[in-house]
Amino acid sequence: MSTEVHDPGAYDYSQRPARLPVDVDHSNKDLAIPLQDRVEMYELQQVLRQFEKRAYDLFMQNLVKGTSHLSLGMEAVAAGFGLALRPDDYSFATYRGHAHTIARGAALGPVMAELLGRENGILKGKGGSMHLTSVEHGMMGSYAIIGAHLTIANGAAWAAQLRGTDQVAVAFFGDGTTNIGAFHEALNFAAIWDLPVVFVCENNLYMEYTPIDVVSAVPNPAADRGPAYGLDGIVVDGNDADAVFHVASQAVARARAGDGPSLIEAVTYRHGGHSRADPGKYRPADEVEAWLERDPIPMYHQRLLELGVPEGDLAAIQQSVAGRVEDATEFAKGGSPPGEEHLFTDVWAAGGSAWRN
Amino acid sequence: MSTEVHDPGAYDYSQRPARLPVDVDHSNKDLAIPLQDRVEMYELQQVLRQFEKRAYDLFMQNLVKGTSHLSLGMEAVAAGFGLALRPDDYSFATYRGHAHTIARGAALGPVMAELLGRENGILKGKGGSMHLTSVEHGMMGSYAIIGAHLTIANGAAWAAQLRGTDQVAVAFFGDGTTNIGAFHEALNFAAIWDLPVVFVCENNLYMEYTPIDVVSAVPNPAADRGPAYGLDGIVVDGNDADAVFHVASQAVARARAGDGPSLIEAVTYRHGGHSRADPGKYRPADEVEAWLERDPIPMYHQRLLELGVPEGDLAAIQQSVAGRVEDATEFAKGGSPPGEEHLFTDVWAAGGSAWRN
Amino acid sequence: MAELSYRDAVAYGIAQEMRRDPHLVMLGEDIGAAGGVFKTTVGLLDEFGPDRIRDTPISEQAILGAAMGAAMTGIPVIAEIMFSDFLAVCWDIVANQMAKSRYMTGGQVSIPVVIRTLNGGGSRFGAQHSQSVENWCMMIPGLKVVAPSTPADVVGLMAASVRDPDPVVFFEHKSLLAGKAEVPDGELVDELGTARVVREGTDCTIAALALMVPRALEAAERLAGDGISAEVIDVRSLVPLDTQALLGSVGKTSHFYTVEENPRLCGWGAELASIVADEAFWDLDGPVIRITTPHIPLPAAEALEDMSLPSVDRIYETVRKTLA
Amino acid sequence: MAELSYRDAVAYGIAQEMRRDPHLVMLGEDIGAAGGVFKTTVGLLDEFGPDRIRDTPISEQAILGAAMGAAMTGIPVIAEIMFSDFLAVCWDIVANQMAKSRYMTGGQVSIPVVIRTLNGGGSRFGAQHSQSVENWCMMIPGLKVVAPSTPADVVGLMAASVRDPDPVVFFEHKSLLAGKAEVPDGELVDELGTARVVREGTDCTIAALALMVPRALEAAERLAGDGISAEVIDVRSLVPLDTQALLGSVGKTSHFYTVEENPRLCGWGAELASIVADEAFWDLDGPVIRITTPHIPLPAAEALEDMSLPSVDRIYETVRKTLA
Ligand SMILES: Cc1ncc(C[n+]2csc(CCOP(=O)(O)OP(=O)(O)O)c2C)c(N)n1
Ligand SMILES: Cc1ncc(C[n+]2csc(CCOP(=O)(O)OP(=O)(O)O)c2C)c(N)n1
Ligand SMILES: [Mg+2]
Ligand SMILES: [Mg+2]
């Protein structure tokens, strides 16, 4: 047996050279974004952060069963897009979808209740953390098998195009998702039909436990593939809500104008592990440290102060968010486990699950 | 219902502007290719042409059942690669695989017999035209579902890499295949593992009946995707065996040297329809005409004359090939339909098909 | 009443629904300008235009994903997967996404998609273009599954499938395309979940589907010559399943046979057999017997393929011997 | 004899085979450095190195395609598909390529691949990460299908699967991973196609698989308290299938039950039921009864998921009521 085989990566990923965040681009402060929108993005990031921290606590208390995938550290992406979208636009997310669901306006209580598997959950407990959906808010679902939802987002964009509305569909996905077949099919399809869809890769540098560069032929797994579909390869600082909002608004405007799809790679980092139980030890310590220092929320806090928002206003936001998260938690805990009557509903549009007469 | 929808292509494809062949590159005559190899490529192209013309005749006589996909007009690709490969290299083809099977050295008789569904067929009649395989010649199969065999070719290349031999795997596929997910997965996978594999897109400008540019986001559906996998986008005149042989040799050498995969797009044209019954009427008449004028075989004939090969030698080759095709036809016609004893063999390695005791 | 081929009935049925619902669209490979590789969609592009009849790349996941996304945002879709064997390249969208989304979202989304696909053997296309995969779909909760055997059923069940708000996989049989039969004039709308007794009988029940229906009928004809009266049921719809029709018939005949084109293991006939062996057990006067394609990949050669699919002879012989 | 968890038995069994055959390699997502997301491959990278234990991108078609191509050119491969639900994204390679290539090529190629995958419910993962899809594989001619229920069977059947020259889908059950049991010392090599009577009985036969085996055993224990003697058979291998064991048992007990985790329609139990209802018909003293997960996508909430999978209570009650 030869050992002349190309090594697929360092043996121990935690010993590999760190991939460090870029420096803060202070000029993003000067982007023409209304202060009011910025304050909203701050609040949204606070909501996402505090909500998921609570979800993590509830998991540690064994109240969240199953699994959950947090966006802690990645909130700026959901916040930037959250503000850039119109209420009638469509979002599609992965199993890591809490942030995107909340960013579209879903109430915190039913989302939290869903994580706890309660009857008052947003999916009546049937879907759980990985499948959050709120059709009334344009949040068309969280999909737990890598790749599929990029093609489904195309369909929503196609429907908008057929109806002649100028709605836009956005699909969020991870860096690891860029190597699956459905990614390729979806991008080509969107491009040839000029679909109003925005593909947003949240590149957090890892698939589950494997660094993305070990398994990708190009350094920027999404952006470097854009030209294969006649698209620009847009890379944005995914830890800066302003930068995200800026490119998001451009891409959404382009789609609305009938100029077709965009592909955006937002580089970011998750503060925790891939999913509930993962301590994330496969990451170089200096890498984790550097990214924690680039936490999008304190950075944005600082920026708002520089832009003249009073410290007290920001503190008040934090406080009120804490109250909302507390209420959501109580709401969730107050729900009962779904009863048997729910087991057999909603397989078919007619309400039930009968496969025979 | 809005009609502002982007038109996916002209309504009637036969009225679209023709995509014409490039001019013959006369400098290809000067490539450093031994004359003996050229004569071999001439002979091989003659074999492929005459064999498939006969297959077509037999189909018209209702002796070939099922379907068949001919490479008439595309012979230069199979011939160029046929010469560039070593006997222990691996080929993987599509349902349009007669040429690639014969180019690796499979005997004409059993191949023809397979098309006729006879017991003396190369697959005992079990696979038919779309699944030609000759493992003893390194021809590892013809695959009839778009995309799969690109990933399978990777595996053969991986095996060679693991064994430390310098064998190379080659996967041939069509332009339409570049839009399916498996294409993307296979290319990325080959690139990150530096696999000794050569991906060869035979771009004949059409999937079945739909022009490739109507459904692809980039003009060169294979070559323009190379950079997405860190690969060069190589385009070659697929109607010129010398040009093909030249890039094939380079790509194979690169793979053998451990320098990883290549992606080659050979632009060519099929003289007939997609499969047996298709008259190919969806193609602009001037396009068909122009490509028929660029028939690879007369062109190559002319080149060999210019290089000093006597007309008589070429005529003798034609003649001897005609005899071989005649013999193959007789061999095939002489075979019996496979008997019931074959129905239940070869599901399992143990020989049979039992799923129970 | 006009005579229509099964092939033409497909476009006829689709056209009926596209005229009714201006939102309904269709997509697939070579379905538009070319009229489909099986010529089942001829004329639709001319009548409904390229916005509603759209040619796609060879991207089955993208095709069905687009169908699903459009459907869940209000546009009903008919999607063609050229050969049912190719469901394998987009199986995730079919089995994990379309089938499950309504349930997983607590009923928030509807997926009014019809996946039309050419199914079955007899064309000497070999193991990757001849499969009968209706059982692949039957086993997935959340999918409805239909397989018509006549032109009129193609039209009526197509309408029922298009109007159904759930995902329906609609199997058209390649070897039935050329057959012709009368199709009633006017709008034709059938009902999912209804089997049809296509021949009444008293000695045994034979459940068949698609291409197996005419073969079962012919075998029944021959059995009649031996004094055996076979009732033949065209199952038509696997999900929902008309268990009443099946159990009712067995209650009368006391013998149950299935004729399946799918390979043996976990075929739809196994499901029917298990239902009968449970719920009609006390009605049965003999073993429940399945006549299936053997559990092998389908061979290409004419001679071999003909030995594989259940033939009239095999049906006839099996029933005759086991009922004697 | 050492006590081993089912989880650890996986790596133990793989290691046994990798030591024996220096050509055997394994690939999959996060299997190397991370030891697998279920920690079933811990230690293998350390012992066998990154040439033989390879992390891959999220490219299931590329994973199984590479496995197939390597196998057909002489390198046996174990490929991990992290959750069995993901077989849907690479189903073409499994069902159309690996399963059919030997037959289609007239026996020219062998595909010595083991596809290991985590199957089944109980983890509250919802409909896309909890499926029992052993019936998906059973229905494809050309695939062998194994689902061990104990650590010793994991090791022995892994060895049998690796040494088998045909493609084998090897289902490891997520909810059995933590369980421990004795595993005999020394090389362990079991045999495909052999069921095991895990409890002898005389009144009825209960066929179960994987997670359903301990549940069936517990139900049998309780039935014994009611004076009902149930024989429990761990099917272990769906293809090949040990029909002798099943038919022999029914010959003795005259009553047949299946306990299936796959959703009802076209589950493996339907196949077994149809075999029994045919070949053991005259032995039967009562209906053939299947206990299955209902035909619904699996819900996520603990409360709902627990109602879905066949429970000890449901098995016990069903047998008690129907045998009374
Ligand atoms: C088809 C498929 N393969 C594998 C998985 C298992 N899986 C879940 S998340 C994940 C990593 C995804 O990485 P990435 O796309 O970067 O998203 P992230 O989790 O980092 O947000 C994997 C491999 C899956 N869900 N679906
Ligand atoms: C997954 C899949 N989808 C569709 C088909 C049907 N089909 C067979 S050949 C073909 C066209 C392929 O075009 P291309 O790749 O350009 O190859 P060519 O036939 O031109 O050589 C299609 C759509 C298939 N075999 N597999
Ligand atoms: Mg990631
Ligand atoms: Mg082509």
Side-chain angles (χ1 to χ4, degrees):
Chain A
M1 203 76 174
S2 151
T3 53
E4 300 295 328
V5 173
H6 183 76
D7 189 300
Y11 192 92
D12 177 354
Y13 299 136
S14 72
Q15 301 306 314
R16 300 173 77 245
R19 282 190 63 185
L20 301 178
V22 293
D23 285 337
V24 181
D25 183 348
H26 291 289
S27 73
N28 286 338
K29 193 174 91 178
D30 305 326
L31 288 169
I33 303 172
L35 195 57
Q36 183 186 330
D37 285 351
R38 285 182 147 133
V39 172
E40 255 191 77
M41 284 194 274
Y42 178 78
E43 176 168 0
L44 190 43
Q45 290 180 82
Q46 281 292 343
V47 171
L48 303 179
R49 174 66 53 96
Q50 294 192 36
F51 179 92
E52 286 207 308
K53 279 195 153 173
R54 178 61 58 90
Y56 185 76
D57 293 344
L58 294 172
F59 161 61
M60 295 306 281
Q61 293 163 35
N62 203 25
L63 281 167
V64 175
K65 303 297 163 81
T67 185
S68 60
H69 304 76
L70 306 178
S71 297
L72 292 170
M74 303 165 59
E75 295 91 345
V77 183
F81 269 89
L83 266 277
L85 294 178
R86 220 167 59 186
D88 64 343
D89 288 333
Y90 300 117
S91 297
F92 292 82
T94 68
Y95 49 87
R96 195 182 302 287
H98 305 169
H100 297 297
T101 306
I102 294 168
R104 293 306 305 278
L108 301 186
V111 173
M112 193 68 92
E114 188 62 31
L115 305 192
L116 271 59
R118 304 298 165 96
E119 194 174 28
N120 57 347
I122 195 163
L123 315 172
K124 305 175 191 162
K126 288 172 147 176
S129 159
M130 296 205 284
H131 298 294
L132 297 180
T133 304
S134 183
V135 168
E136 62 169 313
H137 297 98
M139 170 52 189
M140 301 307 293
S142 303
Y143 298 78
I145 299 191
I146 296 291
H149 70 294
L150 280 73
T151 71
I152 302 168
N154 276 345
W158 181 33
Q161 192 189 57
L162 282 164
R163 279 191 299 260
T165 60
D166 57 358
Q167 292 161 284
V168 172
V170 183
F172 301 95
F173 54 94
D175 43 285
T177 304
T178 62
N179 291 325
I180 203 159
F183 167 87
H184 177 68
E185 294 192 15
L187 271 281
N188 183 65
F189 201 90
I192 59 168
W193 287 15
D194 282 340
L195 295 178
V197 58
V198 182
F199 297 103
V200 185
C201 176
E202 302 183 88
N203 181 0
N204 59 15
L205 313 188
Y206 290 82
M207 31 189 276
E208 296 207 13
Y209 310 145
T210 301
I212 190 62
D213 52 311
V214 169
V215 295
S216 303
V218 285
N220 281 103
D224 290 346
R225 266 91 181 243
Y229 315 103
L231 302 176
D232 291 340
I234 302 169
V235 180
V236 64
D237 180 353
N239 277 20
D240 185 336
D242 288 336
V244 172
F245 177 81
H246 182 68
V247 297
S249 302
Q250 288 180 326
V252 167
R254 174 184 153 92
R256 266 201 229 303
D259 293 334
S262 298
L263 173 62
I264 294 169
E265 178 171 328
V267 182
T268 180
Y269 205 76
R270 53 174 152 74
H271 286 176
H274 168 74
S275 63
R276 41 181 276 171
D278 167 30
K281 290 290 182 217
Y282 41 83
R283 305 187 296 185
D286 52 341
E287 181 182 287
V288 177
E289 199 182 318
W291 281 94
L292 283 171
E293 274 167 26
R294 277 281 270 116
D295 186 331
I297 296 182
M299 189 188 91
Y300 208 63
H301 188 107
Q302 184 56 35
R303 181 170 300 161
L304 290 190
L305 293 180
E306 285 166 24
L307 286 166
V309 182
E311 173 85 62
D313 287 13
L314 298 179
I317 287 172
Q318 279 185 46
Q319 201 90 47
S320 94
V321 167
R324 289 172 60 197
V325 168
E326 190 54 40
D327 291 349
T329 307
E330 289 316 308
F331 175 86
K333 285 182 174 171
S336 1
E340 189 164 4
E341 68 278 15
H342 290 298
L343 195 60
F344 298 106
T345 58
D346 293 330
V347 173
W348 308 124
S353 68
W355 51 267
R356 57 180 289 176
N357 58 13
Chain B
M1 204 78 176
S2 148
T3 53
E4 301 294 330
V5 173
H6 182 77
D7 190 298
Y11 191 94
D12 177 352
Y13 300 136
S14 71
Q15 302 305 314
R16 301 172 77 244
R19 283 190 64 185
L20 302 178
V22 293
D23 285 337
V24 180
D25 183 347
H26 291 290
S27 72
N28 285 338
K29 191 175 93 177
D30 305 326
L31 289 169
I33 302 172
L35 193 59
Q36 183 187 331
D37 286 350
R38 287 180 146 133
V39 172
E40 255 190 77
M41 285 193 275
Y42 178 79
E43 176 167 2
L44 190 44
Q45 290 180 82
Q46 281 292 344
V47 170
L48 303 179
R49 174 66 53 96
Q50 295 192 34
F51 179 91
E52 287 207 310
K53 281 196 150 172
R54 177 62 58 91
Y56 184 76
D57 293 344
L58 294 172
F59 161 62
M60 295 307 280
Q61 293 163 34
N62 203 26
L63 281 166
V64 175
K65 304 296 163 81
T67 187
S68 60
H69 304 75
L70 306 178
S71 297
L72 292 171
M74 303 167 59
E75 295 89 345
V77 183
F81 270 90
L83 266 277
L85 294 178
R86 218 166 60 185
D88 63 343
D89 288 333
Y90 300 116
S91 296
F92 292 81
T94 69
Y95 48 88
R96 197 182 303 286
H98 305 169
H100 297 297
T101 306
I102 294 169
R104 293 305 307 279
L108 302 186
V111 173
M112 191 68 92
E114 188 62 30
L115 306 191
L116 270 60
R118 304 296 166 98
E119 195 175 27
N120 56 348
I122 195 163
L123 315 172
K124 305 175 192 163
K126 289 172 145 176
S129 159
M130 296 206 284
H131 298 294
L132 299 180
T133 304
S134 184
V135 169
E136 61 169 316
H137 298 98
M139 170 52 189
M140 302 307 293
S142 303
Y143 297 79
I145 300 191
I146 296 288
H149 71 294
L150 281 73
T151 70
I152 302 168
N154 276 345
W158 180 34
Q161 191 188 57
L162 281 164
R163 279 192 298 260
T165 60
D166 57 359
Q167 291 161 284
V168 172
V170 183
F172 301 94
F173 55 94
D175 43 285
T177 304
T178 63
N179 291 325
I180 203 159
F183 168 86
H184 177 69
E185 294 193 15
L187 271 281
N188 183 66
F189 201 90
I192 58 169
W193 287 14
D194 283 340
L195 294 178
V197 57
V198 182
F199 297 103
V200 184
C201 176
E202 300 182 88
N203 181 359
N204 58 16
L205 312 187
Y206 290 82
M207 30 188 275
E208 295 208 11
Y209 309 146
T210 301
I212 189 63
D213 52 311
V214 170
V215 294
S216 302
V218 285
N220 281 103
D224 290 345
R225 266 88 180 243
Y229 315 103
L231 302 176
D232 291 340
I234 301 168
V235 180
V236 65
D237 180 353
N239 277 19
D240 185 335
D242 287 336
V244 172
F245 177 80
H246 182 67
V247 295
S249 302
Q250 288 179 326
V252 167
R254 175 183 152 92
R256 268 202 227 301
D259 294 334
S262 299
L263 173 62
I264 294 169
E265 178 172 329
V267 183
T268 181
Y269 204 75
R270 53 172 153 75
H271 286 177
H274 168 73
S275 61
R276 38 180 279 169
D278 167 31
K281 289 290 181 217
Y282 41 83
R283 305 186 297 184
D286 52 341
E287 181 181 287
V288 177
E289 199 182 319
W291 281 94
L292 284 171
E293 275 167 23
R294 277 281 270 117
D295 186 331
I297 295 181
M299 190 188 92
Y300 208 63
H301 188 106
Q302 184 56 35
R303 180 171 299 162
L304 291 190
L305 294 180
E306 284 166 24
L307 286 166
V309 182
E311 174 86 63
D313 287 14
L314 299 180
I317 287 173
Q318 280 185 45
Q319 201 92 46
S320 93
V321 167
R324 287 173 59 197
V325 168
E326 192 54 41
D327 292 349
T329 307
E330 289 317 306
F331 175 85
K333 286 182 174 170
S336 3
E340 190 164 5
E341 68 278 15
H342 290 298
L343 195 61
F344 298 106
T345 57
D346 293 331
V347 174
W348 308 124
S353 68
W355 51 267
R356 58 180 289 178
N357 59 13
Chain C
M1 278 295 243
E3 199 170 66
L4 217 58
S5 70
Y6 187 104
R7 184 192 316 277
D8 292 341
V10 174
Y12 181 93
I14 294 169
Q16 171 186 300
E17 293 306 298
M18 293 200 95
R19 284 181 206 123
R20 181 187 58 81
D21 182 353
H23 291 289
L24 181 61
V25 294
M26 182 158 101
L27 80 172
E29 294 158 20
D30 305 302
I31 63 161
V37 304
F38 289 99
K39 301 293 173 211
T40 48
T41 56
V42 170
L44 296 175
L45 177 67
D46 282 337
E47 179 170 354
F48 301 105
D51 288 357
R52 295 182 65 195
I53 306 288
R54 303 198 97 180
D55 283 333
T56 68
I58 308 174
S59 307
E60 279 80 3
Q61 295 184 81
I63 291 169
L64 293 190
M68 174 168 167
M72 61 198 270
T73 53
I75 301 282
V77 184
I78 302 174
E80 176 176 310
I81 297 298
M82 194 186 288
F83 285 75
S84 62
D85 313 69
F86 310 163
L87 287 173
V89 299
C90 48
W91 190 235
D92 179 52
I93 312 287
V94 180
N96 289 331
Q97 311 299 340
M98 285 192 189
K100 296 178 168 55
S101 278
R102 168 180 289 280
Y103 190 81
M104 291 196 307
T105 63
Q108 290 187 51
V109 302
S110 274
I111 320 276
V113 169
V114 178
I115 303 175
R116 291 179 44 238
T117 187
L118 276 291
N119 197 44
S123 307
R124 294 70 175 94
F125 285 165
Q128 295 186 335
H129 281 70
S130 308
Q131 293 173 83
S132 286
V133 305
E134 59 276 6
N135 57 334
W136 294 18
C137 295
M138 185 177 191
M139 71 180 176
I140 304 295
L143 296 181
K144 294 179 176 171
V145 184
V146 176
S149 73
T150 69
D153 278 5
V154 166
V155 178
L157 290 173
M158 179 73 75
S161 300
V162 166
R163 296 177 195 199
D164 194 283
D166 295 313
V168 179
V169 187
F170 191 92
F171 288 101
E172 300 160 11
H173 201 292
K174 291 193 281 293
S175 290
L176 290 172
L177 289 174
K180 288 187 173 187
E182 296 291 322
V183 173
D185 293 331
E187 191 185 70
L188 222 63
V189 188
D190 208 324
E191 201 181 330
L192 304 186
T194 54
R196 180 183 297 130
V197 176
V198 287
R199 180 193 172 101
E200 303 219 5
T202 52
D203 295 336
C204 69
T205 301
I206 305 178
L209 192 77
L211 179 64
M212 296 299 111
V213 174
R215 294 192 181 184
L217 277 171
E218 201 181 325
E221 206 61 58
R222 279 165 61 182
L223 287 163
D226 295 344
I228 295 173
S229 163
E231 178 145 308
V232 179
I233 298 185
D234 182 348
V235 179
R236 303 196 326 143
S237 170
L238 290 172
V239 184
L241 183 69
D242 190 349
T243 46
Q244 279 177 15
L246 296 163
L247 294 169
S249 178
V250 175
K252 187 171 69 169
T253 64
S254 303
H255 289 274
F256 188 62
Y257 296 83
T258 61
V259 188
E260 292 161 74
E261 190 177 334
N262 51 213
R264 158 101 205 189
L265 296 183
C266 298
W268 58 262
E271 183 59 45
L272 270 59
S274 79
I275 293 169
V276 167
D278 178 353
E279 301 176 38
F281 180 76
W282 302 111
D283 290 331
L284 287 171
D285 283 344
V288 172
I289 292 173
R290 296 171 56 204
I291 301 159
T292 78
T293 296
H295 203 64
I296 56 172
L298 216 56
E302 192 172 24
L304 293 175
E305 190 179 33
D306 286 342
M307 292 173 216
S308 307
L309 306 195
S311 62
V312 174
D313 278 349
R314 183 139 64 95
I315 302 167
Y316 166 74
E317 291 295 346
T318 306
V319 176
R320 200 181 52 77
K321 278 192 200 137
T322 53
L323 217 57
Chain D
M1 281 291 247
E3 200 169 65
L4 217 57
S5 70
Y6 187 103
R7 184 191 316 277
D8 292 341
V10 175
Y12 181 93
I14 294 169
Q16 172 187 299
E17 293 306 299
M18 294 198 94
R19 283 180 208 123
R20 182 187 58 82
D21 182 353
H23 291 288
L24 180 62
V25 293
M26 182 158 100
L27 82 172
E29 295 160 19
D30 305 302
I31 62 161
V37 304
F38 289 100
K39 302 290 173 215
T40 48
T41 55
V42 171
L44 296 175
L45 177 65
D46 283 337
E47 178 170 354
F48 302 105
D51 287 357
R52 296 182 63 193
I53 306 289
R54 303 199 96 179
D55 283 335
T56 69
I58 307 174
S59 307
E60 279 81 2
Q61 294 184 81
I63 292 169
L64 293 191
M68 174 169 166
M72 62 198 269
T73 52
I75 301 281
V77 183
I78 301 174
E80 176 175 309
I81 297 298
M82 196 186 284
F83 286 74
S84 61
D85 313 68
F86 309 161
L87 287 173
V89 300
C90 48
W91 190 236
D92 179 52
I93 312 286
V94 180
N96 288 333
Q97 311 301 338
M98 283 191 191
K100 296 178 167 57
S101 278
R102 167 180 289 280
Y103 190 81
M104 291 195 308
T105 62
Q108 290 188 50
V109 301
S110 276
I111 320 277
V113 169
V114 178
I115 303 175
R116 292 178 43 239
T117 188
L118 276 290
N119 196 45
S123 308
R124 293 72 174 93
F125 285 163
Q128 294 185 337
H129 281 71
S130 308
Q131 292 173 84
S132 285
V133 304
E134 60 276 5
N135 57 334
W136 295 18
C137 295
M138 186 178 188
M139 72 182 173
I140 305 296
L143 296 181
K144 294 179 177 171
V145 185
V146 176
S149 73
T150 68
D153 278 4
V154 166
V155 178
L157 289 173
M158 179 73 75
S161 301
V162 167
R163 297 178 193 197
D164 195 281
D166 295 313
V168 180
V169 188
F170 190 92
F171 288 102
E172 300 160 12
H173 200 294
K174 293 194 278 293
S175 290
L176 289 172
L177 289 175
K180 289 187 173 186
E182 297 290 322
V183 173
D185 293 331
E187 192 185 69
L188 223 61
V189 188
D190 206 324
E191 202 181 329
L192 304 186
T194 55
R196 180 184 296 130
V197 177
V198 286
R199 179 192 171 103
E200 302 221 4
T202 52
D203 295 336
C204 70
T205 300
I206 305 178
L209 193 76
L211 180 64
M212 296 298 111
V213 175
R215 294 192 182 184
L217 277 171
E218 202 179 323
E221 204 63 56
R222 279 165 60 182
L223 287 163
D226 295 344
I228 295 173
S229 162
E231 176 143 309
V232 179
I233 297 185
D234 182 347
V235 179
R236 305 197 324 147
S237 170
L238 291 172
V239 184
L241 182 69
D242 190 349
T243 46
Q244 279 178 14
L246 296 163
L247 294 168
S249 177
V250 175
K252 186 171 70 170
T253 65
S254 302
H255 289 275
F256 187 62
Y257 296 83
T258 62
V259 188
E260 291 162 75
E261 190 176 335
N262 51 214
R264 159 101 202 186
L265 295 184
C266 299
W268 58 261
E271 183 59 44
L272 270 58
S274 79
I275 294 169
V276 166
D278 178 352
E279 301 176 39
F281 180 77
W282 301 110
D283 291 330
L284 286 170
D285 282 346
V288 172
I289 292 173
R290 297 171 55 203
I291 301 159
T292 77
T293 295
H295 203 65
I296 57 172
L298 216 57
E302 192 171 25
L304 292 175
E305 190 179 33
D306 285 343
M307 292 172 215
S308 305
L309 305 194
S311 62
V312 173
D313 279 350
R314 183 139 64 93
I315 302 167
Y316 166 73
E317 290 296 347
T318 306
V319 176
R320 200 181 52 78
K321 280 192 199 136
T322 53
L323 217 57

